[in-house]
Amino acid sequence: MSFIERCSRWRPRLRSHTLAALAAALVVLACNGRFWAAMLDGRALDAPRTWWWMAALALALWALHFVLFNLLFNRFTARPLAALLIVATAFAVYYMQRFNVYLDTSMLRNVLRTDLHEARELFTLGLLPHLLLYAGLPLLLLWRVRIVRGPWLRSLVVKLLGTLAGVALLVGAVLAVFQDFSSAMRNQREARFLITPANYLYSLARVGLEEGAASAQPRQAIGLDAARLAAATARQRPLLLVLVVGETARAANWGLNGAARMTTPQLAAMNDVISFTDVTSCGTNTEVSLPCMFAPLGRRNYDEARIRGSESLLHVLARAGVAVHWRDNQSGCKGVCEGLSQETVTQAKLPGLCDGERCLDEALLHDFKALVQPRKDQLIVLHQLGNHGPAYYRRYPPTFKRFTPTCDTPDLSRCSREEIGNAYDNALLYTDHVLAQTIAQLRDHTPSHDTALVYASDHGESLGENGLYLHGLPYAIAPREQTRVPMLLWLSPGFAQALRINPACVRERAAAPAAHDHLFHTVLALLQVGTGLYDPTFDLLHACRP
């Protein structure tokens, strides 16, 4: 009998718990490279203690995944669930290795909220050989396996005994190296989110429970005492404030902040633009930062469940009588504008700005005059696509391709750091242009309105520093490139006069540290809304008004 014939007849018969044991061994050996790298960092490979550490960890990882798989697999679910886990784990390993991401709850929430257009940019040719090895080969082997179906009572007893044995083995392996293990988990807490696939299974379950609990009850109302300040009634013209929420712009490349390359020439030419030079974001991804930016708690008292379960700054302003409108060119407002006036330009058909999948950020300014209400104080929020990666080259029109050569593919592994940085900076040039055009629109409305603009990016971006790319690292270990963001303020002379703001004072304040935590209270003050939620110590302009 030939080798091919023997292979074609090879159909091993396995029970579900045996398949669970084999699958656990596979993930320990093939899918946890980054976890092993973290656990072996700084350890001498020729030391007996290191080998004992590796053996105990391997046993613990195997036992953990065996327990998980053993609980999930039975004679009906073993093959389909194993196939699903193989594919999901193959994707997880690829993106963890390629971009050094951690699959914690915020990252899983990001993944689940990613729209189709964002997802397409992450499917590159570099993914194909990885999937063939990590998913194709295991699926081929799984297809040949036949699951043996024994008596249900016996199967249940075996499953329970196997689970108990796995738990005992897990505990024993951890206790054998408990001193080293406790030290590693204390010093590298986030490393637990490198254990694959336990990381995404845990995070997925947690996100599902949190989302279910949140959807079961309405958002908690905040700022019920919100009302216009007395000074608001004395003004002759309404206020028009535009808040531009940037995407993935990092302070290190922001020209106004003294970056080596001038990426904000149009804004730099305006002597009335004030740039805050030391601003810290609330998170390292949009799912965390965006709700936090519009919450009174901020990063200093961060409580994710409370922030997501409560109304936002926009609801407080609307309650006080300010007209609020959200215009989006990304993946939505993450609940910040729930129940309020909102629209998206993502699918707009604007020649030269939209390609059927994405729109350039100038689409946010299309028909801007129609948004402006003639006799009412108003906040318009423009949510940019900005510098969203990895396809930085798609975030600007050809006329802004000034820094070359550029990375013209979403597969960053095919580009040099110089090419990636050039494409990223070109996208910043375009953001500079969009902000300058927004200010020009606001200048056109100064005869009828007192106008102002606030810009703040939601988080930063890694561009290859220390081997890191994109964003989304757990906040505790995130580098400055992901947590330091640009923020600026522009006030028309009428706006500054109406609120008696001293621009020179604001320029001095702009050199001091600031954070997303300041946004909630500063916007309340700019629109003259009073509420017990307002904290003057987090109002960036408080010391600059009489």
Side-chain angles (χ1 to χ4, degrees):
M1 184 182 297
S2 67
F3 175 76
I4 295 178
E5 289 176 332
R6 286 197 299 269
C7 289
S8 65
R9 294 186 179 183
W10 181 73
R11 296 293 304 275
R13 295 165 58 87
L14 301 177
R15 296 190 182 277
S16 61
H17 58 271
T18 307
L19 180 62
L22 292 173
L26 176 65
V27 299
V28 171
L29 294 173
C31 303
N32 281 274
R34 287 199 58 211
F35 176 76
W36 284 116
M39 292 298 98
L40 294 176
D41 184 35
R43 294 178 180 269
L45 293 179
D46 57 350
R49 185 185 180 102
T50 299
W51 287 94
W52 176 248
W53 167 245
M54 291 173 62
L57 273 187
L59 201 57
L61 281 185
W62 180 87
L64 171 65
H65 288 101
F66 170 73
V67 170
L68 286 174
F69 298 158
N70 195 43
L71 292 173
L72 292 172
F73 293 176
N74 59 43
R75 59 183 181 175
F76 302 109
T77 65
R79 283 166 64 96
L81 279 183
L84 183 61
L85 284 169
I86 287 170
V87 174
T89 301
F91 277 100
V93 171
Y94 176 79
Y95 290 111
M96 288 172 67
Q97 291 177 346
R98 182 56 55 89
F99 300 118
N100 285 327
V101 299
Y102 289 66
L103 295 183
D104 59 357
T105 51
S106 66
M107 180 58 71
L108 253 293
R109 188 174 282 110
N110 247 357
V111 171
L112 295 174
R113 299 279 178 85
T114 297
D115 61 33
L116 180 61
H117 304 301
E118 289 182 12
R120 283 178 183 171
E121 294 176 353
L122 293 170
F123 289 100
T124 62
L125 290 177
L127 178 61
L128 185 57
H130 177 91
L131 289 181
L132 289 175
L133 177 62
Y134 279 81
L137 183 58
L139 286 174
L140 179 62
L141 295 174
L142 179 66
W143 176 68
R144 304 299 298 169
V145 168
R146 289 181 292 179
I147 303 299
V148 178
R149 301 180 180 181
W152 71 268
L153 183 58
R154 179 185 174 186
S155 298
L156 179 61
V157 172
V158 170
K159 182 179 290 292
L160 290 175
L161 291 176
T163 301
L164 291 174
V167 171
L169 190 60
L170 172 62
V171 173
V174 171
L175 290 177
V177 290
F178 185 74
Q179 184 177 356
D180 285 348
F181 182 81
S182 60
S183 176
M185 290 300 102
R186 182 171 59 252
N187 296 323
Q188 303 180 66
R189 287 178 54 84
E190 306 305 328
R192 66 189 188 275
F193 292 114
L194 297 175
I195 301 174
T196 313
N199 50 3
Y200 70 77
L201 291 175
Y202 166 80
S203 297
L204 187 62
R206 184 174 171 184
V207 169
L209 290 174
E210 291 174 354
E211 294 291 334
S215 62
Q217 54 187 3
R219 291 181 179 271
Q220 180 181 354
I222 62 171
L224 295 176
D225 61 338
R228 307 312 304 280
L229 298 176
T233 61
R235 286 185 280 102
Q236 296 181 349
R237 294 184 298 183
L239 300 177
L240 172 59
L241 174 63
V242 171
L243 173 56
V244 182
V245 179
E247 169 65 38
T248 321
R250 69 183 206 171
N253 291 47
W254 193 245
L256 285 178
N257 288 355
R261 180 182 276 172
M262 177 45 71
T263 54
T264 55
Q266 295 187 49
L267 293 173
M270 302 178 187
N271 57 16
D272 49 0
V273 169
I274 302 172
S275 179
F276 293 80
T277 57
D278 185 9
V279 181
T280 303
S281 69
C282 190
T284 61
N285 59 66
T286 306
E287 282 294 329
V288 171
S289 276
L290 197 57
C292 185
M293 292 169 73
F294 289 84
L297 298 174
R299 189 76 213 180
R300 65 195 185 282
N301 295 314
Y302 188 71
D303 185 333
E304 183 173 4
R306 186 175 171 188
I307 289 174
R308 292 184 179 279
S310 301
E311 292 180 339
S312 74
L313 166 67
L314 305 187
H315 298 94
V316 176
L317 296 173
R319 183 170 290 119
V322 176
V324 175
H325 183 75
W326 183 285
R327 179 175 272 192
D328 201 279
N329 190 32
Q330 218 215 106
S331 55
C333 69
K334 315 302 181 186
V336 167
C337 62
E338 185 178 288
L340 301 174
S341 175
Q342 56 184 289
E343 63 174 316
T344 179
V345 301
T346 306
Q347 300 297 327
K349 297 179 180 179
L350 302 175
L353 294 177
C354 303
D355 60 8
E357 292 186 2
R358 286 290 194 191
C359 291
L360 295 171
D361 277 333
E362 281 180 280
L364 290 167
L365 300 178
H366 176 69
D367 204 15
F368 182 83
K369 291 182 180 180
L371 296 179
V372 179
Q373 298 192 15
R375 291 179 293 275
K376 196 170 186 180
D377 290 344
Q378 186 175 8
L379 171 68
I380 298 174
V381 184
L382 305 178
H383 187 198
Q384 289 186 310
L385 182 58
N387 279 51
H388 196 289
Y392 307 120
Y393 70 101
R394 299 187 63 189
R395 307 299 176 238
Y396 53 89
T399 52
F400 284 83
K401 189 176 181 178
R402 300 178 194 173
F403 303 121
T404 57
T406 57
C407 181
D408 295 332
T409 171
D411 188 353
L412 300 184
S413 65
R414 298 169 58 188
C415 301
S416 67
R417 282 190 59 185
E418 179 191 9
E419 291 170 333
I420 295 170
N422 286 339
Y424 182 88
D425 284 348
N426 287 335
L428 283 184
L429 280 173
Y430 185 59
T431 289
D432 167 68
H433 173 73
V434 171
L435 292 175
Q437 290 297 306
T438 308
I439 291 173
Q441 293 272 8
L442 292 174
R443 291 188 198 276
D444 290 343
H445 284 85
T446 51
S448 58
H449 293 74
D450 293 324
T451 60
L453 176 141
V454 174
Y455 166 80
S457 179
D458 58 353
H459 55 78
E461 185 87 326
S462 288
L463 298 175
E465 299 85 5
N466 300 313
L468 298 175
Y469 289 92
L470 302 183
H471 54 267
L473 277 183
Y475 200 87
I477 62 171
R480 289 176 58 89
E481 290 81 9
Q482 295 189 26
T483 61
R484 296 300 187 273
V485 295
M487 183 165 72
L488 61 83
L489 173 69
W490 173 83
L491 304 172
S492 70
F495 197 105
Q497 183 178 359
L499 272 69
R500 297 191 293 170
I501 298 172
N502 182 349
C505 171
V506 179
R507 287 188 183 278
E508 292 183 9
R509 172 64 185 86
H516 279 166
D517 293 29
H518 290 87
L519 192 65
F520 184 96
H521 310 278
T522 302
V523 172
L524 282 177
L526 285 172
L527 290 168
Q528 296 187 312
V529 171
T531 169
L533 295 174
Y534 172 73
D535 184 346
T537 60
F538 283 90
D539 175 5
L540 291 171
L541 310 181
H542 179 68
C544 300
R545 297 191 308 271

